[in-house]
Amino acid sequence: MDPRVENRLGLKELADKVVSAEQAAALINDGDVVGMSGFTRAGDAKVVPMALVERAKNENFKIDIYTGASLGPEVDKYLAEAGVIRKRGPFIADSGIRNQINSGNVYYVDAHLSHNAELVRQGIIGPIKYLILEATAITEDGLIVPTTSVGNSPVFAEYAENIIVELNISHPESLIGIHDIYVPGPQGQREPIPMTDAVKRIGEIGIKVDPAKIKAIVISEEPDAPSLIVPPDEETQTMANLLLDFFRSEIEAGRLTNKLMPLQSGVGSVANAVLDGFADSEFEDLIVASEVLQDAVFNLIDAGKVSFAAATSITISEQLQKKVYGNLEKYADKLVLRPQEISNHPEVIRRLGLISINTALELDIYGNVNSTHVSGTKMMNGIGGSGDFARNARLGIFVTKSYAKGGAISSIVPMVSHVDHTEHDVDVIVTEQGIADLRGLAPKERAVLIIENCVHPDFKEQMWDYYNRAVEVTGNAQTPHILEEALSWHVNLAKNKTMKKEISKA
Ligand code: COA
């Protein structure tokens, strides 16, 4: 046996389970519900899914796939395009599977990422025939040490009938020890989750499994697909500055200290860029308690701003992968990866008092947020953990540029075309135009602030025109809307490829 494999296969009785990816893929049957490790392109199984893609060239079969979150191209592009996926949950981000979903070829169950574990426990997701789980190592006492994400793997491992392990020897062995696997008991008999501080470890370094469930071990050397975020620009820097000034005013008001509260920052380029803006600030000793650690977090650790970061996955660019994984020892005592039902747990988020920063696709003049559906119909990525955090955070912040598609689209609309976060879960909105602190405000107070501070100048007159007429026709009602016009900006976009319209001055 390859000594690199021997080192990582502590439970020697499993040595005879080592097979090829093709042999492992042959175990999966048409109609199976399959759990997979992986969260935002990190820690996902790669070689068994590619063997399934090969198998699909000569055989028709379909499976349902549940994961932590989005996976790399092996599943969310190649397997999706091979027509193998019947149903997929709970989060995607690859354009390959997005196109399959939006053309009706794949059912997609978009769900809060903290909810899946309970659905598995209740048998609503399942029965899970196989879990395909990427591992750094299997310890002598049979713990499976995940790689760069934990996601839903612990609950999948508990409930799956069978497990295929992808032992990935390209991940550094120094990942052993950065996981903190805590699995809550059944609802109704559960103790409080004993996490009183994001830095505190409460679990094991790996996932406990019944070794009899392990039907195959496949050796892999495939690295994680790097993240695809685009670098910060002038507008995201402006948004970061606005947010930093807002935090300063919160400190002045005695609601925060220089250390702030644990920060959660969402997926995507905008949230990453905004977090990056902390690098040149006076804030320090920051704690990150998020679900994904993107590039910005490691830049902030390097800059001495972040002292500890907890999440369920590490999703970084190619450049950062080399730096972080080539030098993990430097970061190891500042990092922990937890199951997503813990990183995103309402109980933990409220107890720790998180500040959550997520990106909106669009939002409306009352503060309702659409994170997922373009024009209310086409799926972008999914709600991910944004709802877990926004609802339960001490401060729920949404950021977005005020416009999209070169200015044809206003990201602020009269009424969102799909609601992921209601006005009740949205405390602060930031665009490159300005910031709106909505806390304690009634709908009409919110609308005035959002329109004045956050809407792009190209759409401001149009928005005031809508709002003023809505106030008039509703007789100054609680939440003024002209129902037949509320979605007209989206209708205009569909017809004329722009939300801009001529305003009658009559
Ligand atoms: N209407 C239509 N398209 C819009 C839009 C709008 N109002 N606003 C943005 N877009 C498009 C952009 O043009 C871009 O399209 P492209 O990929 O064709 O260039 C795409 O949406 C992504 O927007 P971008 O500005 O690059 O932002 P991002 O990378 O920061 O992603 C979200 C933004 C909302 C898609 C992303 O944050 C997301 O999926 N959020 C939901 C999940 C989540 O918040 N999880 C957080 C917990 S970790």
Side-chain angles (χ1 to χ4, degrees):
M1 189 183 279
D2 182 332
R4 291 174 305 166
V5 175
E6 209 171 351
N7 276 347
R8 294 174 185 233
L9 196 52
L11 195 61
K12 299 299 172 204
E13 68 191 58
L14 292 175
D16 64 347
K17 301 284 183 203
V18 177
V19 297
S20 69
E22 294 67 33
Q23 286 169 309
L27 298 171
I28 310 277
N29 290 312
D30 183 35
D32 279 355
V33 175
V34 178
M36 290 194 186
S37 64
F39 196 105
T40 51
R41 297 165 76 94
D44 47 349
K46 300 160 187 83
V47 294
V48 177
M50 285 313 287
L52 285 169
V53 174
E54 278 305 307
R55 204 180 127 189
K57 289 180 180 162
N58 307 307
E59 194 187 332
N60 278 331
F61 64 100
K62 282 193 184 287
I63 57 176
D64 292 359
I65 298 180
Y66 293 93
T67 57
S70 51
L71 300 188
E74 293 82 1
V75 170
D76 280 347
K77 179 170 175 55
Y78 304 121
L79 206 55
E81 289 172 351
V84 172
I85 306 178
R86 189 191 77 93
K87 190 181 268 190
R88 176 81 174 86
F91 186 73
I92 58 105
D94 193 294
S95 61
I97 191 156
R98 183 184 301 136
N99 293 339
Q100 295 297 316
I101 292 166
N102 285 330
S103 53
N105 298 330
V106 172
Y107 285 118
Y108 176 47
V109 188
D110 178 26
H112 294 301
L113 297 184
S114 71
H115 283 191
N116 279 257
E118 305 298 2
L119 296 181
V120 172
R121 290 193 181 97
Q122 292 170 42
I124 289 165
I125 293 175
I128 299 171
K129 288 289 171 194
Y130 275 90
L131 163 63
I132 311 178
L133 170 55
E134 191 186 70
T136 303
I138 304 177
T139 65
E140 274 171 32
D141 44 1
L143 290 177
I144 301 189
V145 180
T147 59
T148 46
S149 71
V150 179
N152 277 318
S153 297
V155 73
F156 289 157
E158 188 179 342
Y159 285 84
E161 291 170 21
N162 307 288
I163 299 175
I164 296 169
V165 176
E166 267 197 35
L167 191 61
N168 191 323
I169 56 176
S170 80
H171 288 296
E173 271 185 88
S174 45
L175 280 169
I176 301 171
I178 76 157
H179 308 92
D180 181 30
I181 312 294
Y182 176 89
V183 180
Q187 284 178 322
Q189 304 160 33
R190 183 176 291 180
E191 294 294 322
I193 298 168
M195 193 184 300
T196 47
D197 185 336
V199 172
K200 188 175 169 190
R201 298 187 66 95
I202 58 170
E204 308 250 17
I205 62 153
I207 302 169
K208 270 199 190 107
V209 299
D210 171 3
K213 283 192 190 178
I214 299 177
K215 298 295 158 33
I217 297 175
V218 178
I219 309 305
S220 163
E221 295 193 56
E222 294 299 320
D224 285 345
S227 81
L228 301 170
I229 47 166
V230 299
D233 59 27
E234 208 174 303
E235 289 176 329
T236 53
Q237 185 58 50
T238 303
M239 289 154 77
N241 290 341
L242 287 164
L243 205 51
L244 294 173
D245 279 343
F246 168 73
F247 290 140
R248 288 179 190 117
S249 64
E250 286 295 287
I251 293 171
E252 227 161 86
R255 286 189 283 269
L256 288 175
T257 67
N258 214 32
K259 192 174 153 54
L260 303 180
M261 295 295 268
L263 291 169
Q264 176 263 335
S265 162
V267 292
S269 303
V270 176
N272 180 68
V274 169
L275 198 61
D276 226 37
F278 276 81
D280 296 324
S281 75
E282 71 278 27
F283 300 105
E284 54 194 10
D285 201 13
L286 300 169
I287 303 285
V288 171
S290 201
E291 60 174 39
V292 184
L293 302 180
Q294 299 192 112
D295 285 21
V297 172
F298 293 92
N299 296 337
L300 292 175
I301 292 177
D302 289 346
K305 296 287 173 195
V306 165
S307 54
F308 194 83
T312 193
S313 83
I314 299 173
T315 302
I316 45 183
S317 63
E318 200 163 3
Q319 196 191 351
L320 257 275
Q321 279 187 353
K322 283 191 194 119
K323 186 170 154 190
V324 172
Y325 297 136
N327 200 5
L328 196 59
E329 294 76 11
K330 178 180 156 200
Y331 297 97
D333 64 338
K334 297 184 181 69
L335 279 183
V336 69
L337 293 182
R338 305 195 162 109
Q340 71 196 68
E341 72 169 321
I342 302 299
S343 61
N344 291 29
H345 203 292
E347 179 190 333
V348 173
I349 295 167
R350 283 234 175 154
R351 184 178 300 133
L352 300 183
L354 262 55
I355 296 174
S356 90
I357 308 167
N358 291 292
T359 311
L361 211 50
E362 65 174 9
L363 55 97
D364 70 26
I365 52 175
Y366 298 111
N368 300 289
V369 167
N370 172 9
S371 297
T372 57
H373 284 70
V374 173
S375 288
T377 49
K378 300 263 186 198
M379 178 54 61
M380 176 55 80
N381 295 335
I383 191 167
S386 54
D388 294 325
F389 289 104
R391 171 153 294 181
N392 299 295
R394 171 192 175 101
L395 253 176
I397 300 168
F398 280 89
V399 295
T400 176
K401 291 193 182 180
S402 67
Y403 66 93
K405 303 293 175 207
I409 293 177
S410 171
S411 304
I412 304 179
V413 288
M415 183 184 267
V416 282
S417 55
H418 175 94
V419 188
D420 291 297
H421 312 288
T422 74
E423 57 183 301
H424 314 288
D425 296 329
V426 180
D427 295 323
V428 176
I429 283 167
V430 186
T431 71
E432 81 292 347
Q433 298 300 320
I435 187 163
D437 178 0
L438 307 176
R439 293 171 299 170
L441 299 188
K444 282 177 290 193
E445 295 176 300
R446 296 164 79 104
V448 167
L449 207 59
I450 292 172
I451 300 173
E452 197 44 50
N453 293 2
C454 300
V455 172
H456 192 277
D458 287 358
F459 291 98
K460 222 170 187 173
E461 190 186 355
Q462 189 175 325
M463 194 67 90
W464 278 124
D465 175 63
Y466 172 83
Y467 177 71
N468 289 332
R469 284 185 298 111
V471 170
E472 201 177 307
V473 302
T474 59
N476 203 16
Q478 165 75 359
T479 306
H481 266 308
I482 307 170
L483 290 184
E484 58 275 34
E485 248 188 70
L487 295 174
S488 64
W489 293 35
H490 302 89
V491 175
N492 191 21
L493 177 67
K495 278 191 189 151
N496 303 316
K497 305 225 174 322
T498 177
M499 285 187 172
K500 287 188 191 136
K501 58 185 167 195
E502 291 298 314
I503 302 167
S504 156
K505 303 280 182 195

